[in-house]
Every structure is written in structure tokens, then in C-alpha cells.
Amino acid sequence: MNTMYFTEEHELFRKSLQDFLKKEVVPHIEKWEKTGVIERFIWKKFGEMGYFGIAYPEAYGGMDLDLFYTIIFLEELQKINSGGFAAAIWAHVYLAMTHVNKEGDDRIKEKYLRTSISGEKIGCLCITEPFGGSDVAGMRTTAVKSGDSYIINGSKTFITNGVYSDYLIIAAKTRPDLGNKGISIFVIDRGASGVSATKLDKLGWRASDTGEIAFDNVSIPLENLMGEENQGFGYIMQHFALERLIMGVNAHARSEFALDYVVNYMKQREAFGKTIDKFQALRHTIADIASEVEMCKEFNYSVAKRLNDGQYVVKEATMSKLLSTKIADEAIYKCLQLLGGYGYMEEYPLARLFRDSRLGPIGGGTSEILREIIAKMVIDKKEYKTKT
């Protein structure tokens, strides 16, 4: 136990979560990976256990616990070897619900946050567009006032939970002439007329539903605006530190899973009269992987501590995602190699892990975009300060 960051209570939570995942989730993973549909009952079970409310106010059914409970939650989700299942869960809890909690008024929180914590409703966050990618300011989706409604037109893509969720948190331009200063955030019910979704076929994350969503003259009440009009870009930016750190933590956790698996494999696999964990070249490969993963983990924990303390960590969280996802891809590639031909077989876990991990340097801001953000902060001394 790392006593600098985790208490005995944290570790008891980790153990109970591990037991829950082993009993309630793992037996269904293969089915969900094949069908691409995560059955609704498991969302209710997560809700009943309080897992969706870890970071949220007690007033809406949450537990309002420190960030290291979230770190544990993320790490253990990675270690059941379904990046798609993990993504569906954390996209609901830390993307959609974060906006509901931070920008939603009491009515919206009562309707969407409380039911999200209980597992009755599933949310998704809709920012990325077919022509926009990481360029949030370049979005084309619009929300035009018409009487007591907003009329929304446009499309979003690569949206996790984009097909089977119950509500959508969507960014749209209320003042297109203002560029990124004209973006607003809304909540839309899945059943709203004019909302349609197409499921995308992905390389990895097979258990999760990733959708392209179209909005065709979707009418929503004015009260579905979240926060202030035209302040959406700031809201999106202020949550990026958490999102990037989440993806960094996910990366170090899946690297650890791969490392633990391959070390155990090497202790059993024999070649030339001895187990392959005795060959120096392979031992040194493991030493390199373990060193890099440990560096990522310790850095990520330190960033989490600072974020939990309310510090400005956009640069560090961006570095976390950039390096942790890169190192995870390299670590899992090397671990798969150490399994030889078995690493290429679907019945062995590293084949899926290899595919799932590849999303890390792409989703939530590509590594190329993150490098430019870091360069601006390091070289140009830019600060991405936002509304509080």
C-alpha cells in the first residue's frame, strides 16, 4: 500500500471493489465484448453499491469522497481487461456526470445527477464532431433560440455511450460569430424528436457503444441550458485536467495488468530446459517496462494529489495522458511479444488489451494536440485558466 496517497480505508474500498467486479462483471465480459451491448442490470448494480456516487454530493445520493477513491475505481476497472466496459462506465461517471454536477441547476441535478448516481440513467458527453476532432472551437453544431426553446442542428462523433445512453450532454454554438466564445452546454433526453444515433465499428473497446449522433431540428426547452449561455468552452476546458488524468491513470493501470500477467506467464513457460523468466534479455525487458510504468504511476498519483487539493494542473495532467498512454502502448506491445505466438491468440488477454490500449493516444485529445498544448505552456508561458 502506498501510504503517501492511500489510507487503510482506501485499500478496504479497493478490495470490496475487486470482489464486486470479479463476481458481478467478469462473468459477463466475454458476452459484452461479442455483442457490443452492456446489459442494463449492471448499471443498476453499480448504482446500488454507490460506485457512481464516489465523487458526487451527498445531497443527490453520492458520497463526496476524495479523488483517490476515484483513482482506485479507475485502476480496478482496467484490470478486468475490457477497455470498452471501463470506458462506458467512466465516460458516464466522469464525463457526462461531471458537467451535470458542475453546470446543472438544482432541477437538472435532481433529474439527471441523482438518477445517474443510482444507475437508473446513463449519460454521454457529446463534443467531438466529424469535421472538428480535437478542434473544439471549430464545432459546427448550433443551438438557436426560438421562443421558449433552443433548436439544435448538427452532428457529433466518436461518442462513448452514444447509442444506448438515456441523456446527452452536448456542446453547441449559440453565437457562431464569436467562435469559441459562443459555445453553450445543454442536456438532451435520448427520446427527443430529431435525435438519431449510428453505432460505429471499432478496432478495440468492443464492449462499449461508440456512436455518431445527428441532431435534426431538435427542440429543447430553454431550461435545458447548463450554466451560462456562451460560456461552454470554459466549462469544457476546466474539466479537461480531470479527463486527461483519468486517461493517464487508466494507462498505467492497464500496463500493470499486462506486466503482472506476463511475469506470471514467464514463470510457467519453459524453453531450452528452463522457465523463460531466467533469460537475461527477457528479464531486462521486464525491468525496463516496470521502471517506466512505475514512473508514470507515481507521477499520476502526485498530479491527482494536487488536483484533489484544488491546484491548477492542466499542464501536468496533459503530460500524464501524453506519456502514460505512449508508455502503455509500448509496454503492452513488449508484453505481447514475450508471449510469442500465444500473444497473438484471442483467447489470451493481451490481444484484446493491445487493441484497447491503442485508443489511449487518440481519444480525449490526440497526442499531437497535447504536445502543442504542452509546448504553448512551456515555451509560450500560456495558461489555460478558466471559469471557476
Side-chain angles (χ1 to χ4, degrees):
M1 180 174 77
N2 189 325
T3 55
M4 183 180 294
Y5 303 109
F6 299 101
T7 65
E8 187 175 343
E9 287 76 17
H10 284 122
E11 294 305 327
L12 288 171
F13 172 77
R14 187 188 295 275
K15 181 62 170 66
S16 68
L17 176 60
Q18 288 172 340
D19 292 343
F20 171 82
L21 293 172
K22 183 177 180 180
K23 179 184 176 185
E24 304 291 352
V25 178
V26 171
H28 306 286
I29 287 295
E30 295 306 318
K31 177 182 178 182
W32 297 338
E33 285 281 331
K34 286 182 172 64
T35 62
V37 179
I38 298 168
E39 293 164 284
R40 297 289 298 216
F41 75 83
I42 197 63
W43 297 87
K44 288 285 188 68
K45 288 193 174 182
F46 268 80
E48 288 166 4
M49 291 295 292
Y51 293 134
F52 292 150
I54 291 169
Y56 292 102
E58 293 180 22
Y60 298 97
M63 294 187 283
D64 200 19
L65 297 173
D66 69 66
L67 187 58
F68 282 93
Y69 284 93
T70 289
I71 299 300
I72 291 168
F73 186 63
L74 295 168
E75 287 178 334
E76 297 307 321
L77 280 173
Q78 289 297 309
K79 293 178 181 180
I80 59 173
N81 198 29
S82 174
F85 177 79
I89 296 295
W90 66 254
H92 166 64
V93 183
Y94 300 111
L95 299 187
M97 286 172 61
T98 292
H99 281 276
V100 174
N101 183 51
K102 294 293 188 181
E103 287 101 57
D105 58 23
D106 288 341
R107 180 193 69 84
I108 287 174
K109 288 180 184 177
E110 193 62 43
K111 182 175 180 181
Y112 297 100
L113 185 60
R114 183 178 296 281
T115 52
S116 293
I117 289 171
S118 69
E120 296 169 64
K121 288 186 186 294
I122 302 168
C124 68
L125 177 63
C126 307
I127 295 176
T128 304
E129 297 192 355
F131 300 101
S134 296
D135 180 13
V136 175
M139 71 174 57
R140 302 181 183 181
T141 300
T142 58
V144 179
K145 265 185 187 173
S146 176
D148 59 358
S149 302
Y150 285 99
I151 307 300
I152 297 178
N153 284 283
S155 61
K156 303 290 180 179
T157 197
F158 307 140
I159 308 303
T160 302
N161 297 337
V163 179
Y164 301 126
S165 56
D166 302 297
Y167 67 90
L168 308 89
I169 306 301
I170 174 176
K173 283 191 173 171
T174 35
R175 285 286 304 275
D177 57 306
L178 296 179
N180 67 6
K181 292 181 173 60
I183 295 171
S184 301
I185 303 288
F186 304 90
V187 59
I188 302 176
D189 286 311
R190 169 69 55 179
S193 178
V195 177
S196 60
T198 303
K199 192 171 185 178
L200 301 174
D201 190 12
K202 309 185 296 294
L203 170 68
W205 282 19
R206 305 293 295 181
S208 67
D209 60 294
T210 302
E212 183 158 322
I213 305 172
F215 303 91
D216 182 12
N217 289 319
V218 178
S219 177
I220 61 170
L222 295 178
E223 63 187 13
N224 279 29
L225 171 72
M226 299 213 307
E228 297 177 43
E229 193 174 72
N230 301 321
Q231 298 298 319
F233 187 76
Y235 300 141
I236 294 166
M237 292 298 112
Q238 77 182 33
H239 302 321
F240 269 166
L242 176 61
E243 180 181 352
R244 289 169 188 162
L245 179 60
I246 283 171
M247 296 193 75
V249 170
N250 289 341
H252 84 231
R254 64 178 171 268
S255 302
E256 281 194 314
F257 173 83
L259 190 60
D260 289 345
Y261 181 86
V262 79
V263 167
N264 185 59
Y265 174 86
M266 289 169 65
K267 289 179 184 295
Q268 300 175 51
R269 176 70 169 168
E270 290 190 7
F272 306 105
K274 58 183 177 181
T275 55
I276 65 173
D277 65 332
K278 299 296 190 290
F279 290 94
Q280 186 183 68
L282 306 190
R283 292 167 66 85
H284 289 187
T285 296
I286 292 296
D288 286 343
I289 295 170
S291 299
E292 291 182 324
V293 172
E294 191 68 21
M295 291 276 283
C296 285
K297 183 167 73 167
E298 286 297 320
F299 178 71
N300 292 344
Y301 285 170
S302 72
V303 177
K305 175 69 166 61
R306 290 180 58 190
L307 183 60
N308 190 61
D309 292 343
Q311 296 183 32
Y312 177 72
V313 294
V314 170
K315 180 178 72 175
E316 293 82 0
T318 305
M319 290 172 170
S320 163
K321 181 186 183 299
L322 175 67
L323 284 184
S324 296
T325 58
K326 175 178 181 287
I327 286 169
D329 267 11
E330 293 168 352
I332 292 163
Y333 179 95
K334 291 173 184 175
C335 286
L336 189 150
Q337 180 72 21
L338 292 174
L339 266 66
Y342 292 109
Y344 205 64
M345 297 296 110
E346 284 292 333
E347 64 189 280
Y348 283 73
L350 291 196
R352 178 188 301 159
L353 191 63
F354 182 70
R355 290 197 308 274
D356 286 352
S357 183
R358 195 62 195 86
L359 192 278
I362 299 172
T366 65
S367 292
E368 291 73 18
I369 293 290
L370 299 189
R371 288 188 183 99
E372 181 56 25
I373 291 169
I374 294 166
K376 285 180 178 178
M377 300 187 81
V378 172
I379 299 170
D380 306 330
K381 307 304 179 185
K382 181 177 177 62
E383 287 196 357
Y384 291 90
K385 293 284 189 182
T386 56
K387 290 171 67 68
T388 55

